[in-house]
Amino acid sequence: MSDNAVRTRLESVASYLPSEETRLGYLFWLSRPRFWLYLGGPVIVGATFAANDVAELFSPIAVLLLAYFTVPANVFLYGVNDAFDADIDEENPKKDDQEVRYRDDIWVAVAVAMSGALGGMFIFLLPSAGTQVLALWFLLAVEYSAPPLRFKTTPLLDSISNGLYILPGVIAFTAVAGELPPLFAIVAGWLWTMGMHTFSAIPDIEPDREAGIRTTATVLGKRRTYYYCAACWLAAAAAFSQVHVLFGALLLLYPVLVFGIAFSGIDVDDAYWWYPAINTLIGMTMTMGGLWVLLFGYGG
């Protein structure tokens, strides 16, 4: 299929998506739909490996958590992010075609706040450990962008705080199983998010430097950031191998890719947008493995 044909099909699909000129359409784009599974996906993986049967997998709490972390949680997370980055994003080229700039509208602020409040209702549905993890998620989701902590402007803490993306999976596992997942799984997931966040910051190095923002990526520079990401992903693979050797093997794809990008001359601004599909594929593979064990009782 030619490039023109692909472009025409993409434009056709885009015509069915909501316009950012409307309030609902703006909230849709504010929530970063291509990244919805970054929060929703871990819920699926966590619930799959926590469930003892299909009924538990589709339990009301698992379904509600998936629904919340797929859309409302993204409205909250990125709404807070964009509100506190409004001035900086004026110079960020990603906001010109891939994302939207924050709209200082009372209805947008209310929608973001209500999305957060909706998630707070889970304190009445989760076991104690799950409630604590949920509280940690909200702390990191807000303080990553908001004062006084604003983790995103502190090198290394910006990377570490992005463990928030794995926490929905921890919450889902705890909700279904009644206990926390294995420690090595949490550590591996956290290291994976650290690498993913810092890799995603590479296209922002120049805009962030121009805005006077210090991040792990701006301090390390492009080349050393590649090595940092590879180190995080190698450590994640090693930790995941303690849960199951196949999980560790899957995670090795990430350092292979980052070295391929670093030494091939591929534009990282383009490569960055591959990762929603790559992450979905890895998460789907893990989930299929969990479903195999759930349905057929074979863990290898």
Side-chain angles (χ1 to χ4, degrees), residues 7-300:
R7 189 176 299 109
T8 299
R9 289 198 176 187
L10 290 175
E11 290 173 353
S12 176
V13 171
S15 67
Y16 291 97
L17 297 175
S19 169
E20 66 179 82
E21 300 303 318
T22 66
R23 285 198 176 103
L24 283 177
Y26 171 78
L27 289 173
F28 173 84
W29 292 110
L30 173 76
S31 70
R32 317 283 207 275
R34 71 180 68 205
F35 299 146
W36 280 355
L37 285 181
Y38 280 12
L39 291 178
V43 173
I44 298 172
V45 176
T48 298
F49 283 93
N52 290 313
D53 53 45
V54 175
E56 283 190 349
L57 179 59
F58 290 98
S59 62
I61 185 63
V63 173
L64 286 172
L65 285 168
L66 177 60
Y68 177 70
F69 279 108
T70 300
V71 182
N74 280 292
V75 171
F76 176 72
L77 176 65
Y78 292 116
V80 171
N81 178 84
D82 286 2
F84 287 97
D85 278 3
D87 293 341
I88 299 167
D89 285 341
E90 287 299 321
E91 305 300 326
N92 192 334
K94 282 198 305 188
K95 298 295 180 178
D96 292 326
D97 53 4
Q98 302 285 0
E99 299 174 1
V100 293
R101 289 184 169 85
Y102 187 73
R103 183 180 300 173
D104 190 10
D105 182 319
I106 184 61
W107 295 107
V108 172
V110 168
V112 172
M114 291 300 294
S115 295
L118 183 63
M121 299 299 291
F122 283 107
I123 63 173
F124 302 109
L125 302 174
L126 294 170
S128 177
T131 300
Q132 294 172 30
V133 178
L134 179 67
L136 178 60
W137 183 84
F138 274 108
L139 173 66
L140 295 177
V142 172
E143 289 304 317
Y144 174 74
S145 303
L149 300 178
R150 197 160 161 75
F151 294 124
K152 71 182 301 175
T153 61
T154 305
L156 192 56
L157 286 182
D158 62 332
S159 179
I160 294 172
S161 64
N162 262 252
L164 70 90
Y165 282 96
I166 202 64
L167 293 182
V170 178
I171 294 167
F173 187 100
T174 306
V176 174
E179 60 184 9
L180 291 169
L183 178 60
F184 276 112
I186 299 174
V187 170
W190 206 291
L191 287 164
W192 174 82
T193 64
M194 289 171 60
M196 193 64 244
H197 164 264
T198 309
F199 182 83
S200 73
I202 295 175
D204 294 332
I205 288 177
E206 292 309 318
D208 283 346
R209 284 175 172 171
E210 291 173 8
I213 294 176
R214 297 180 74 247
T215 67
T216 302
T218 63
V219 169
L220 292 176
K222 186 175 180 180
R223 179 64 60 177
R224 285 184 293 180
T225 298
Y226 282 133
Y227 288 110
Y228 174 87
C229 295
C232 287
W233 284 328
L234 282 169
F240 249 138
S241 69
Q242 300 302 306
V243 180
H244 198 292
V245 66
L246 293 181
F247 292 166
L250 273 176
L251 266 288
L252 288 176
L253 173 65
Y254 289 93
V256 169
L257 280 173
V258 79
F259 282 127
I261 293 166
F263 293 107
S264 67
I266 294 173
D267 189 341
V268 69
D269 289 33
D270 294 330
Y272 167 67
W273 298 106
W274 303 344
Y275 277 80
I278 293 167
N279 295 334
T280 298
L281 178 62
I282 295 296
M284 181 181 69
T285 303
M286 288 185 171
T287 302
M288 293 299 291
L291 289 173
W292 180 272
V293 174
L294 182 65
L295 297 174
F296 303 108
Y298 177 67

